[in-house]
Amino acid sequence: MDTNTFETLIAEGKTIEPHDPMPEDFRRSVLRQIAQHAHSEIIGMQPEGNWISRAPSLYRKAILIAKVQDEAGHGLYLYGAAESLGMDQGEMLERLHSGQQKYSTIFNYPMLTWADVAVMGWMGDGAAIVNQVPLSRCSYGPYARAMARICKEESFHQRQGYDAMRVLANGTEEQRNMAQDAVNRWWQPSLMLFGPPDTDSPNTARSMAWGIKRHTNDELRQRFIDLCVPQAEALGLTIPDEELIWDAERGHYNSGPLDWDEFWANVNGAGPCTRERLARRVAAHEDGRWVREAAAAYEHQIENGALV
Ligand code: 3HC
């Protein structure tokens, strides 16, 4: 393999394309990240999909349906990008179902009220945008290009979430309390979307050297906190962190510690809703078996010239 070509492309800030030579570790690392990202999109459809029939108005329902459909689309672009690295979607799904590949911990928390749907859009998708915009400059071309389109849609998701929060925050006392309760429960999971602290992130250094990631987990988490705190203030809601304070010298907010034991338990398969999410995913896959079989039979007939 001509590693020079790979090293040169990386050094010149050019993208690596599927036909370019690449070290096996690079291929495996990009595939790992894209697969976990794709799985997050499709598992993420579940908690919000559960609220479609309970959305408070036709307007909110139409938006939520569009958002959940967007997530299915994001999953498909990402599976497509991952397939270009040599693993097909069927195998990735098997690995998801058996727990070998991960999805984001944020989707393992229950969505108890309508305010949770709103806060997931505002904070969850807000965090996703901060994480994903730099990925549109990722060194692996198909991933970077998928990200450009995904980020446009994520930005709509964040705005609709903020808008739904604004309505609750300016509503009745009960609605305000519901909004605050949701912020209290989702702040920490949203910050954990950025991954473990840099000191406990085994993949960051190499992924940064190869341009797969452009910023560390802590850098992006800080960026999100700095963006989100003034938004919460504009809504009149309180961020549940007593140590949160503006540090004029650093030009950033200082914040308190997160419960990393809870995070790692969640990553390792013991999140509050992990079992439910995976069981639902496996059941949906089984329900779709006849469609996959029919499509394969049709393709087989085309290949054999039985259908013209
Ligand atoms: N949830 C689950 N697993 C996580 C995680 C999280 N929030 N954060 C980290 N991990 C896992 C990593 O996958 C890694 O495990 P592995 O080595 O077995 O794959 C391990 O914890 C150590 O973490 P690292 O920091 O070393 O891993 P990375 O360098 O890959 O960084 C990441 C983690 C920041 C999540 C990075 O992979 C990334 O940016 N991924 C792409 C974006 C993505 O997947 N976002 C998920 C949310 S999906 C979404 O935004 C949808 C929207 O609708 C909400």
Side-chain angles (χ1 to χ4, degrees), residues 32-33 36-37 40-41 71 102-105 107 124-125 128 131-132 135 143 154 192-196 201-204 207 213 217 263-264 267:
R32 175 190 64 78
Q33 181 166 322
Q36 91 102 43
H37 193 165
S40 302
E41 298 283 354
E71 278 151 13
K102 300 184 169 73
Y103 61 89
S104 185
T105 45
F107 300 117
D125 291 285
N131 170 252
Q132 290 169 22
L135 291 175
Y143 190 29
E154 294 291 7
M192 289 174 170
L193 185 139
F194 296 96
S201 165
N203 298 299
T204 292
S207 289
K213 284 166 77 164
N217 300 355
F263 169 79
W264 287 115
V267 170

Side-chain angles (χ1 to χ4, degrees), residues 33-46:
Q33 181 166 322
I34 305 180
Q36 91 102 43
H37 193 165
H39 297 327
S40 302
E41 298 283 354
I42 60 158
I43 294 275
M45 293 166 71
Q46 287 186 36

